[in-house]
mmCIF file of all heavy atoms in Angstrom:
data_model
loop_
_atom_site.group_PDB
_atom_site.id
_atom_site.type_symbol
_atom_site.label_atom_id
_atom_site.label_comp_id
_atom_site.label_asym_id
_atom_site.label_seq_id
_atom_site.Cartn_x
_atom_site.Cartn_y
_atom_site.Cartn_z
ATOM 1 N N ALA A 1 21.276 -2.775 -29.914
ATOM 2 C CA ALA A 1 20.777 -2.956 -28.555
ATOM 3 C C ALA A 1 20.089 -4.308 -28.422
ATOM 4 O O ALA A 1 19.343 -4.727 -29.317
ATOM 5 C CB ALA A 1 19.814 -1.830 -28.204
ATOM 6 N N LEU A 2 20.339 -5.000 -27.304
ATOM 7 C CA LEU A 2 19.699 -6.285 -27.059
ATOM 8 C C LEU A 2 18.215 -6.090 -26.766
ATOM 9 O O LEU A 2 17.360 -6.755 -27.359
ATOM 10 C CB LEU A 2 20.386 -6.995 -25.885
ATOM 11 C CG LEU A 2 19.801 -8.346 -25.481
ATOM 12 C CD1 LEU A 2 19.950 -9.344 -26.628
ATOM 13 C CD2 LEU A 2 20.493 -8.872 -24.219
ATOM 14 N N VAL A 3 17.896 -5.217 -25.837
ATOM 15 C CA VAL A 3 16.507 -4.867 -25.519
ATOM 16 C C VAL A 3 16.314 -3.360 -25.659
ATOM 17 O O VAL A 3 15.573 -2.882 -26.511
ATOM 18 C CB VAL A 3 16.114 -5.338 -24.104
ATOM 19 C CG1 VAL A 3 14.676 -4.932 -23.783
ATOM 20 C CG2 VAL A 3 16.274 -6.846 -23.976
ATOM 21 N N SER A 4 16.990 -2.612 -24.817
ATOM 22 C CA SER A 4 16.898 -1.151 -24.854
ATOM 23 C C SER A 4 18.075 -0.567 -24.089
ATOM 24 O O SER A 4 18.487 -1.114 -23.057
ATOM 25 C CB SER A 4 15.588 -0.668 -24.234
ATOM 26 O OG SER A 4 15.573 0.744 -24.138
ATOM 27 N N ARG A 5 18.620 0.521 -24.606
ATOM 28 C CA ARG A 5 19.689 1.241 -23.935
ATOM 29 C C ARG A 5 19.232 2.619 -23.461
ATOM 30 O O ARG A 5 20.042 3.473 -23.137
ATOM 31 C CB ARG A 5 20.895 1.371 -24.871
ATOM 32 C CG ARG A 5 21.510 0.007 -25.194
ATOM 33 C CD ARG A 5 22.697 0.085 -26.116
ATOM 34 N NE ARG A 5 23.209 -1.257 -26.398
ATOM 35 C CZ ARG A 5 24.204 -1.518 -27.241
ATOM 36 N NH1 ARG A 5 24.801 -0.537 -27.881
ATOM 37 N NH2 ARG A 5 24.602 -2.762 -27.433
ATOM 38 N N THR A 6 17.943 2.793 -23.405
ATOM 39 C CA THR A 6 17.377 4.040 -22.892
ATOM 40 C C THR A 6 17.548 4.083 -21.375
ATOM 41 O O THR A 6 17.305 3.085 -20.695
ATOM 42 C CB THR A 6 15.888 4.128 -23.241
ATOM 43 O OG1 THR A 6 15.734 4.022 -24.660
ATOM 44 C CG2 THR A 6 15.298 5.435 -22.758
ATOM 45 N N PRO A 7 17.978 5.205 -20.796
ATOM 46 C CA PRO A 7 18.135 5.287 -19.344
ATOM 47 C C PRO A 7 16.844 4.957 -18.603
ATOM 48 O O PRO A 7 15.754 5.355 -19.019
ATOM 49 C CB PRO A 7 18.551 6.741 -19.115
ATOM 50 C CG PRO A 7 19.151 7.179 -20.406
ATOM 51 C CD PRO A 7 18.397 6.447 -21.474
ATOM 52 N N VAL A 8 16.978 4.204 -17.518
ATOM 53 C CA VAL A 8 15.805 3.786 -16.742
ATOM 54 C C VAL A 8 15.829 4.333 -15.319
ATOM 55 O O VAL A 8 14.980 3.963 -14.509
ATOM 56 C CB VAL A 8 15.702 2.239 -16.689
ATOM 57 C CG1 VAL A 8 15.457 1.669 -18.068
ATOM 58 C CG2 VAL A 8 16.961 1.631 -16.066
ATOM 59 N N GLY A 9 16.794 5.205 -15.015
ATOM 60 C CA GLY A 9 16.878 5.733 -13.655
ATOM 61 C C GLY A 9 15.628 6.485 -13.240
ATOM 62 O O GLY A 9 15.076 6.265 -12.157
ATOM 63 N N GLY A 10 15.160 7.382 -14.091
ATOM 64 C CA GLY A 10 13.948 8.126 -13.769
ATOM 65 C C GLY A 10 12.723 7.236 -13.663
ATOM 66 O O GLY A 10 11.864 7.442 -12.799
ATOM 67 N N LEU A 11 12.644 6.228 -14.534
ATOM 68 C CA LEU A 11 11.506 5.310 -14.489
ATOM 69 C C LEU A 11 11.492 4.519 -13.185
ATOM 70 O O LEU A 11 10.436 4.340 -12.564
ATOM 71 C CB LEU A 11 11.573 4.355 -15.677
ATOM 72 C CG LEU A 11 10.500 3.271 -15.750
ATOM 73 C CD1 LEU A 11 9.116 3.898 -15.872
ATOM 74 C CD2 LEU A 11 10.759 2.329 -16.918
ATOM 75 N N LEU A 12 12.654 4.044 -12.742
ATOM 76 C CA LEU A 12 12.712 3.282 -11.496
ATOM 77 C C LEU A 12 12.381 4.166 -10.294
ATOM 78 O O LEU A 12 11.676 3.738 -9.374
ATOM 79 C CB LEU A 12 14.100 2.663 -11.334
ATOM 80 C CG LEU A 12 14.443 1.515 -12.282
ATOM 81 C CD1 LEU A 12 15.902 1.104 -12.125
ATOM 82 C CD2 LEU A 12 13.527 0.325 -12.048
ATOM 83 N N ALA A 13 12.889 5.392 -10.284
ATOM 84 C CA ALA A 13 12.577 6.294 -9.169
ATOM 85 C C ALA A 13 11.079 6.592 -9.119
ATOM 86 O O ALA A 13 10.468 6.602 -8.049
ATOM 87 C CB ALA A 13 13.376 7.588 -9.305
ATOM 88 N N GLY A 14 10.468 6.819 -10.286
ATOM 89 C CA GLY A 14 9.031 7.042 -10.312
ATOM 90 C C GLY A 14 8.246 5.818 -9.884
ATOM 91 O O GLY A 14 7.229 5.929 -9.181
ATOM 92 N N THR A 15 8.718 4.631 -10.303
ATOM 93 C CA THR A 15 8.051 3.395 -9.883
ATOM 94 C C THR A 15 8.113 3.225 -8.372
ATOM 95 O O THR A 15 7.131 2.796 -7.744
ATOM 96 C CB THR A 15 8.701 2.191 -10.577
ATOM 97 O OG1 THR A 15 8.620 2.358 -11.998
ATOM 98 C CG2 THR A 15 8.016 0.898 -10.180
ATOM 99 N N ALA A 16 9.267 3.548 -7.776
ATOM 100 C CA ALA A 16 9.387 3.455 -6.319
ATOM 101 C C ALA A 16 8.388 4.370 -5.625
ATOM 102 O O ALA A 16 7.770 3.991 -4.622
ATOM 103 C CB ALA A 16 10.814 3.802 -5.894
ATOM 104 N N ALA A 17 8.202 5.581 -6.167
ATOM 105 C CA ALA A 17 7.239 6.501 -5.561
ATOM 106 C C ALA A 17 5.811 5.963 -5.675
ATOM 107 O O ALA A 17 5.033 6.029 -4.716
ATOM 108 C CB ALA A 17 7.343 7.873 -6.232
ATOM 109 N N VAL A 18 5.467 5.409 -6.846
ATOM 110 C CA VAL A 18 4.118 4.867 -7.028
ATOM 111 C C VAL A 18 3.886 3.678 -6.095
ATOM 112 O O VAL A 18 2.832 3.565 -5.454
ATOM 113 C CB VAL A 18 3.903 4.456 -8.497
ATOM 114 C CG1 VAL A 18 2.576 3.709 -8.662
ATOM 115 C CG2 VAL A 18 3.933 5.682 -9.394
ATOM 116 N N VAL A 19 4.868 2.773 -6.010
ATOM 117 C CA VAL A 19 4.733 1.617 -5.125
ATOM 118 C C VAL A 19 4.602 2.059 -3.671
ATOM 119 O O VAL A 19 3.822 1.495 -2.897
ATOM 120 C CB VAL A 19 5.929 0.668 -5.313
ATOM 121 C CG1 VAL A 19 5.912 -0.446 -4.277
ATOM 122 C CG2 VAL A 19 5.917 0.064 -6.711
ATOM 123 N N ALA A 20 5.359 3.092 -3.283
ATOM 124 C CA ALA A 20 5.269 3.592 -1.904
ATOM 125 C C ALA A 20 3.866 4.112 -1.605
ATOM 126 O O ALA A 20 3.309 3.846 -0.539
ATOM 127 C CB ALA A 20 6.307 4.695 -1.686
ATOM 128 N N VAL A 21 3.276 4.841 -2.554
ATOM 129 C CA VAL A 21 1.924 5.366 -2.341
ATOM 130 C C VAL A 21 0.911 4.225 -2.248
ATOM 131 O O VAL A 21 0.030 4.215 -1.370
ATOM 132 C CB VAL A 21 1.554 6.334 -3.479
ATOM 133 C CG1 VAL A 21 0.081 6.730 -3.387
ATOM 134 C CG2 VAL A 21 2.430 7.578 -3.429
ATOM 135 N N LEU A 22 1.018 3.237 -3.141
ATOM 136 C CA LEU A 22 0.077 2.114 -3.116
ATOM 137 C C LEU A 22 0.192 1.320 -1.816
ATOM 138 O O LEU A 22 -0.820 0.931 -1.218
ATOM 139 C CB LEU A 22 0.330 1.204 -4.321
ATOM 140 C CG LEU A 22 0.017 1.802 -5.701
ATOM 141 C CD1 LEU A 22 0.375 0.808 -6.794
ATOM 142 C CD2 LEU A 22 -1.444 2.198 -5.794
ATOM 143 N N LEU A 23 1.422 1.071 -1.369
ATOM 144 C CA LEU A 23 1.602 0.337 -0.114
ATOM 145 C C LEU A 23 1.084 1.146 1.075
ATOM 146 O O LEU A 23 0.505 0.583 2.011
ATOM 147 C CB LEU A 23 3.075 -0.013 0.077
ATOM 148 C CG LEU A 23 3.621 -1.107 -0.833
ATOM 149 C CD1 LEU A 23 5.127 -1.273 -0.647
ATOM 150 C CD2 LEU A 23 2.914 -2.434 -0.572
ATOM 151 N N ALA A 24 1.294 2.463 1.033
ATOM 152 C CA ALA A 24 0.781 3.296 2.121
ATOM 153 C C ALA A 24 -0.751 3.235 2.166
ATOM 154 O O ALA A 24 -1.350 3.139 3.245
ATOM 155 C CB ALA A 24 1.251 4.742 1.943
ATOM 156 N N LEU A 25 -1.380 3.276 1.003
ATOM 157 C CA LEU A 25 -2.843 3.160 0.969
ATOM 158 C C LEU A 25 -3.297 1.793 1.472
ATOM 159 O O LEU A 25 -4.289 1.684 2.200
ATOM 160 C CB LEU A 25 -3.345 3.394 -0.455
ATOM 161 C CG LEU A 25 -3.161 4.819 -1.016
ATOM 162 C CD1 LEU A 25 -3.595 4.873 -2.469
ATOM 163 C CD2 LEU A 25 -3.945 5.820 -0.185
ATOM 164 N N LEU A 26 -2.567 0.737 1.083
ATOM 165 C CA LEU A 26 -2.930 -0.606 1.532
ATOM 166 C C LEU A 26 -2.804 -0.737 3.041
ATOM 167 O O LEU A 26 -3.720 -1.251 3.707
ATOM 168 C CB LEU A 26 -2.043 -1.634 0.835
ATOM 169 C CG LEU A 26 -2.225 -3.091 1.270
ATOM 170 C CD1 LEU A 26 -3.641 -3.563 0.985
ATOM 171 C CD2 LEU A 26 -1.208 -3.987 0.566
ATOM 172 N N TRP A 27 -1.681 -0.261 3.582
ATOM 173 C CA TRP A 27 -1.500 -0.348 5.033
ATOM 174 C C TRP A 27 -2.525 0.513 5.763
ATOM 175 O O TRP A 27 -3.004 0.161 6.841
ATOM 176 C CB TRP A 27 -0.084 0.076 5.416
ATOM 177 C CG TRP A 27 0.919 -1.015 5.206
ATOM 178 C CD1 TRP A 27 1.902 -1.060 4.269
ATOM 179 C CD2 TRP A 27 1.012 -2.234 5.945
ATOM 180 N NE1 TRP A 27 2.605 -2.234 4.369
ATOM 181 C CE2 TRP A 27 2.087 -2.971 5.394
ATOM 182 C CE3 TRP A 27 0.300 -2.775 7.003
ATOM 183 C CZ2 TRP A 27 2.458 -4.212 5.878
ATOM 184 C CZ3 TRP A 27 0.670 -4.019 7.488
ATOM 185 C CH2 TRP A 27 1.740 -4.716 6.934
ATOM 186 N N GLY A 28 -2.861 1.680 5.185
ATOM 187 C CA GLY A 28 -3.894 2.507 5.803
ATOM 188 C C GLY A 28 -5.246 1.814 5.824
ATOM 189 O O GLY A 28 -5.974 1.880 6.821
ATOM 190 N N ALA A 29 -5.588 1.130 4.713
ATOM 191 C CA ALA A 29 -6.866 0.409 4.669
ATOM 192 C C ALA A 29 -6.883 -0.736 5.678
ATOM 193 O O ALA A 29 -7.893 -0.964 6.358
ATOM 194 C CB ALA A 29 -7.100 -0.122 3.255
ATOM 195 N N LEU A 30 -5.765 -1.465 5.796
ATOM 196 C CA LEU A 30 -5.710 -2.561 6.771
ATOM 197 C C LEU A 30 -5.815 -2.040 8.201
ATOM 198 O O LEU A 30 -6.491 -2.638 9.042
ATOM 199 C CB LEU A 30 -4.417 -3.346 6.581
ATOM 200 C CG LEU A 30 -4.302 -4.150 5.283
ATOM 201 C CD1 LEU A 30 -2.929 -4.798 5.179
ATOM 202 C CD2 LEU A 30 -5.390 -5.212 5.218
ATOM 203 N N ALA A 31 -5.135 -0.922 8.472
ATOM 204 C CA ALA A 31 -5.205 -0.353 9.824
ATOM 205 C C ALA A 31 -6.624 0.116 10.144
ATOM 206 O O ALA A 31 -7.117 -0.078 11.258
ATOM 207 C CB ALA A 31 -4.215 0.800 9.946
ATOM 208 N N ARG A 32 -7.283 0.724 9.168
ATOM 209 C CA ARG A 32 -8.662 1.175 9.389
ATOM 210 C C ARG A 32 -9.594 -0.015 9.620
ATOM 211 O O ARG A 32 -10.470 0.030 10.479
ATOM 212 C CB ARG A 32 -9.124 1.998 8.188
ATOM 213 C CG ARG A 32 -10.524 2.578 8.320
ATOM 214 C CD ARG A 32 -10.828 3.513 7.156
ATOM 215 N NE ARG A 32 -12.155 4.088 7.282
ATOM 216 C CZ ARG A 32 -13.267 3.522 6.848
ATOM 217 N NH1 ARG A 32 -13.208 2.324 6.258
ATOM 218 N NH2 ARG A 32 -14.436 4.111 7.012
ATOM 219 N N ARG A 33 -9.384 -1.064 8.849
ATOM 220 C CA ARG A 33 -10.229 -2.251 9.018
ATOM 221 C C ARG A 33 -10.050 -2.862 10.402
ATOM 222 O O ARG A 33 -11.022 -3.241 11.059
ATOM 223 C CB ARG A 33 -9.887 -3.263 7.934
ATOM 224 C CG ARG A 33 -10.707 -4.537 7.994
ATOM 225 C CD ARG A 33 -10.294 -5.461 6.881
ATOM 226 N NE ARG A 33 -11.034 -6.719 6.940
ATOM 227 C CZ ARG A 33 -10.833 -7.743 6.122
ATOM 228 N NH1 ARG A 33 -9.945 -7.638 5.159
ATOM 229 N NH2 ARG A 33 -11.538 -8.847 6.251
ATOM 230 N N ARG A 34 -8.802 -2.931 10.843
ATOM 231 C CA ARG A 34 -8.566 -3.499 12.181
ATOM 232 C C ARG A 34 -9.154 -2.620 13.268
ATOM 233 O O ARG A 34 -9.695 -3.119 14.262
ATOM 234 C CB ARG A 34 -7.066 -3.691 12.385
ATOM 235 C CG ARG A 34 -6.691 -4.173 13.776
ATOM 236 C CD ARG A 34 -5.280 -4.672 13.841
ATOM 237 N NE ARG A 34 -5.111 -5.883 13.024
ATOM 238 C CZ ARG A 34 -3.991 -6.600 12.987
ATOM 239 N NH1 ARG A 34 -2.946 -6.241 13.708
ATOM 240 N NH2 ARG A 34 -3.908 -7.672 12.225
ATOM 241 N N LEU A 35 -9.058 -1.298 13.070
ATOM 242 C CA LEU A 35 -9.610 -0.387 14.072
ATOM 243 C C LEU A 35 -11.113 -0.534 14.164
ATOM 244 O O LEU A 35 -11.690 -0.579 15.261
ATOM 245 C CB LEU A 35 -9.228 1.058 13.717
ATOM 246 C CG LEU A 35 -9.752 2.147 14.664
ATOM 247 C CD1 LEU A 35 -9.193 1.950 16.062
ATOM 248 C CD2 LEU A 35 -9.373 3.529 14.129
ATOM 249 N N LEU A 36 -11.777 -0.615 12.999
ATOM 250 C CA LEU A 36 -13.230 -0.786 13.022
ATOM 251 C C LEU A 36 -13.623 -2.117 13.650
ATOM 252 O O LEU A 36 -14.615 -2.205 14.385
ATOM 253 C CB LEU A 36 -13.777 -0.689 11.599
ATOM 254 C CG LEU A 36 -13.664 0.686 10.927
ATOM 255 C CD1 LEU A 36 -14.165 0.619 9.488
ATOM 256 C CD2 LEU A 36 -14.428 1.732 11.718
ATOM 257 N N SER A 37 -12.848 -3.158 13.377
ATOM 258 C CA SER A 37 -13.156 -4.461 13.968
ATOM 259 C C SER A 37 -13.008 -4.427 15.478
ATOM 260 O O SER A 37 -13.837 -4.980 16.215
ATOM 261 C CB SER A 37 -12.239 -5.531 13.377
ATOM 262 O OG SER A 37 -12.430 -5.640 11.974
ATOM 263 N N SER A 38 -11.964 -3.745 15.957
ATOM 264 C CA SER A 38 -11.773 -3.669 17.407
ATOM 265 C C SER A 38 -12.886 -2.868 18.070
ATOM 266 O O SER A 38 -13.361 -3.219 19.143
ATOM 267 C CB SER A 38 -10.405 -3.058 17.715
ATOM 268 O OG SER A 38 -10.330 -1.725 17.220
ATOM 269 N N ARG A 39 -13.327 -1.786 17.409
ATOM 270 C CA ARG A 39 -14.418 -1.007 17.982
ATOM 271 C C ARG A 39 -15.707 -1.791 18.009
ATOM 272 O O ARG A 39 -16.488 -1.716 18.962
ATOM 273 C CB ARG A 39 -14.604 0.281 17.187
ATOM 274 C CG ARG A 39 -13.505 1.307 17.397
ATOM 275 C CD ARG A 39 -13.768 2.547 16.575
ATOM 276 N NE ARG A 39 -12.754 3.572 16.824
ATOM 277 C CZ ARG A 39 -12.717 4.752 16.184
ATOM 278 N NH1 ARG A 39 -13.655 5.039 15.282
ATOM 279 N NH2 ARG A 39 -11.765 5.626 16.459
ATOM 280 N N ALA A 40 -15.968 -2.547 16.957
ATOM 281 C CA ALA A 40 -17.175 -3.363 16.934
ATOM 282 C C ALA A 40 -17.133 -4.420 18.028
ATOM 283 O O ALA A 40 -18.147 -4.736 18.658
ATOM 284 C CB ALA A 40 -17.332 -4.015 15.563
ATOM 285 N N GLY A 41 -15.951 -4.977 18.295
ATOM 286 C CA GLY A 41 -15.833 -5.969 19.352
ATOM 287 C C GLY A 41 -16.069 -5.385 20.725
ATOM 288 O O GLY A 41 -16.690 -6.008 21.589
ATOM 289 N N VAL A 42 -15.601 -4.116 20.922
ATOM 290 C CA VAL A 42 -15.815 -3.477 22.220
ATOM 291 C C VAL A 42 -17.291 -3.152 22.426
ATOM 292 O O VAL A 42 -17.834 -3.231 23.524
ATOM 293 C CB VAL A 42 -14.948 -2.204 22.318
ATOM 294 C CG1 VAL A 42 -15.328 -1.387 23.555
ATOM 295 C CG2 VAL A 42 -13.483 -2.578 22.353
ATOM 296 N N GLY A 43 -18.030 -2.788 21.384
ATOM 297 C CA GLY A 43 -19.440 -2.398 21.525
ATOM 298 C C GLY A 43 -20.377 -3.551 21.790
ATOM 299 O O GLY A 43 -21.492 -3.351 22.256
ATOM 300 N N ARG A 44 -19.965 -4.780 21.483
ATOM 301 C CA ARG A 44 -20.843 -5.937 21.676
ATOM 302 C C ARG A 44 -20.508 -6.628 22.982
ATOM 303 O O ARG A 44 -19.409 -7.174 23.126
ATOM 304 C CB ARG A 44 -20.702 -6.911 20.512
ATOM 305 C CG ARG A 44 -21.336 -6.422 19.225
ATOM 306 C CD ARG A 44 -21.449 -7.563 18.234
ATOM 307 N NE ARG A 44 -20.143 -8.051 17.827
ATOM 308 C CZ ARG A 44 -19.525 -7.671 16.720
ATOM 309 N NH1 ARG A 44 -20.096 -6.777 15.927
ATOM 310 N NH2 ARG A 44 -18.360 -8.175 16.395
ATOM 311 N N HIS A 45 -21.415 -6.564 23.973
ATOM 312 C CA HIS A 45 -21.224 -7.232 25.254
ATOM 313 C C HIS A 45 -22.235 -8.362 25.364
ATOM 314 O O HIS A 45 -23.444 -8.139 25.196
ATOM 315 C CB HIS A 45 -21.417 -6.260 26.429
ATOM 316 C CG HIS A 45 -20.404 -5.157 26.426
ATOM 317 N ND1 HIS A 45 -19.104 -5.347 26.783
ATOM 318 C CD2 HIS A 45 -20.528 -3.843 26.080
ATOM 319 C CE1 HIS A 45 -18.443 -4.189 26.686
ATOM 320 N NE2 HIS A 45 -19.295 -3.281 26.253
#
């Protein structure tokens, strides 16, 4: 074997799931931050 001939299908599918969860958390944090910023802007006159 040059590097490895072990199947990687399961590893890639699991990696996709982990990346999806991390990106969902990141987008959720960004959306929450923007929402809080907009509310703070509305409260200050």
Side-chain angles (χ1 to χ4, degrees):
L2 178 63
V3 179
S4 173
R5 295 180 181 176
T6 303
V8 295
L11 177 62
L12 289 173
T15 302
V18 172
V19 172
V21 172
L22 293 178
L23 288 174
L25 293 175
L26 176 61
W27 280 110
L30 292 176
R32 183 173 181 274
R33 180 180 178 183
R34 176 166 294 186
L35 179 62
L36 293 176
S37 299
S38 63
R39 288 180 177 177
V42 170
R44 287 194 295 263
H45 297 286

